[in-house]
Amino acid sequence: MSVGLLAIVDDILTAALKASAKSAGVVIDDAAVTPQYVAGLTPARELPVVAKIARGSLINKFAIIIPLALLLTAFAPWVLPYLLIIGGVYLCFEGAEKVTEWFGHVHAHKEEGARDEKALVAGAVRTDLILSTEIMLISLSNLDPEMGFWMRLGALVVIALVMTALVYGAVALLVKLDDVGVKMEGSDKSNTRRIGTGIVRSMPAVFRVISIIGTVAMLWVGGHLAILNLGEVGWHWPADLLHTVEHALEPLGAVITWFGDTLVSAVAGLLIGLAAVGVMLLVQRSGPSGTT
């Protein structure tokens, strides 16, 4: 490999690393959201389903997000905030449905396909499309605007591959922890058996916690997307309110500021999501199956 090509590769990797750093929070959200889609599957189907979701994520990034982002950035950048608002509202809707289920409301369309593998994969890939869009757009916005087209494309390709590997590698490890625990229970060493038993017994609680984290993550990311991009299209007061909270909490430190930002975004996401759920229920009840 020539020195010139090595320099180009190094530039691409460096740009990708810097650009993707600010999207780390969304990567964590993606990793927290995805395991709930494979909860309840038989152990033999967990990794194949994760692989299908990962493949769908790559298709999302390479067939939809990267080409669309580059085209819109070049020819119609004003469209991007509207797309992000739609994506944010969808995440809020998904999160709010989970919250209403916690309080006993069963959504008919989810009950019908709750154990259908194709439906689970399709739902996970749809959610991934929104989260991956935010990851890639945040990364794109942090690339040097002076970069040429091919350098920019190369950096986005690297980001897409690395982020997908990180997210779904972590998800695969997480969903197979219980199998690791079962194997450890069969060990000849007592300490290993005890650790294995602890892993197996803790996994139901771990998945409950993951489900809660995933739901909060959807509300947080969705609310944040909606708030910031409503400001981009001219409706400034939600973003102004968020910035006011951030400035008020800044003297208390970065952690408290982040927590306040997250809380405001999550509450906003819940309110937006509940409104979207209400609209969907009205539409369902006014449709042919809902009329009396």
Side-chain angles (χ1 to χ4, degrees):
M1 187 179 290
S2 69
V3 175
L5 184 56
L6 281 173
I8 291 172
V9 171
D10 182 66
D11 288 344
I12 289 174
L13 293 176
T14 302
L17 180 62
K18 290 180 179 178
S20 60
K22 291 188 177 180
S23 63
V26 189
V27 174
I28 294 170
D29 297 337
D30 204 353
V33 167
T34 304
Q36 61 188 296
Y37 287 100
V38 298
L41 293 176
T42 59
R45 295 306 304 159
E46 289 174 342
L47 288 184
V49 167
V50 171
K52 287 182 179 180
I53 298 170
R55 184 167 62 248
S57 178
L58 287 173
I59 292 171
N60 283 341
K61 293 179 177 75
F62 286 101
I64 302 173
I65 299 170
I66 292 177
L68 191 60
L70 290 172
L71 283 172
L72 291 178
T73 300
F75 299 107
W78 59 270
V79 175
L80 293 174
Y82 292 98
L83 294 178
L84 288 172
I85 289 170
I86 293 170
V89 171
Y90 175 77
L91 283 180
C92 294
F93 170 75
E94 288 274 294
E97 275 199 327
K98 292 286 185 183
V99 172
T100 58
E101 287 172 4
W102 294 345
F103 290 93
H105 182 77
V106 178
H107 299 277
H109 66 283
K110 291 208 167 188
E111 186 179 28
E112 291 167 2
R115 294 289 179 245
D116 182 74
E117 189 173 297
K118 288 184 178 179
L120 290 173
V121 171
V125 171
R126 283 196 302 271
T127 300
D128 172 89
L129 178 62
I130 307 303
L131 292 169
S132 292
T133 296
E134 190 185 17
I135 289 170
M136 299 310 294
L137 290 181
I138 290 173
S139 300
L140 180 61
S141 68
N142 285 283
L143 289 174
D144 186 347
E146 301 299 320
M147 287 180 71
F149 174 82
W150 294 110
M151 290 283 289
R152 187 183 298 260
L153 177 60
L156 290 177
V157 167
V158 170
I159 292 167
L161 291 173
V162 170
M163 293 302 184
T164 303
L166 283 175
V167 168
Y168 293 100
V171 170
L173 178 62
L174 190 59
V175 299
K176 298 309 290 182
L177 270 178
D178 54 346
D179 292 343
V180 173
V182 170
K183 288 185 178 181
M184 291 176 69
E185 284 184 314
S187 172
D188 294 332
K189 298 179 180 179
S190 59
N191 286 339
T192 303
R193 288 199 303 271
R194 280 197 297 271
I195 294 172
T197 300
I199 291 174
V200 172
R201 289 178 178 176
S202 66
M203 288 314 294
V206 168
F207 275 105
R208 282 195 295 272
V209 171
I210 288 172
S211 179
I212 293 171
I213 292 173
T215 300
V216 173
M218 283 192 284
L219 294 172
W220 164 30
V221 175
H224 201 71
L225 276 173
I227 288 172
L228 294 185
N229 287 282
L230 282 170
E232 292 292 324
V233 301
W235 205 33
H236 297 289
W237 74 263
D240 290 341
L241 175 61
L242 183 62
H243 293 147
T244 299
V245 171
E246 289 173 347
H247 291 319
L249 295 177
E250 278 177 359
L252 301 178
V255 173
I256 300 298
T257 303
W258 175 87
F259 182 79
D261 179 291
T262 300
L263 181 61
V264 172
S265 297
V267 170
L270 179 59
L271 294 175
I272 294 168
L274 289 175
V277 169
V279 170
M280 284 297 297
L281 289 175
L282 288 175
V283 170
Q284 289 172 0
R285 289 176 182 176
S286 63
S289 62
T291 56
T292 55

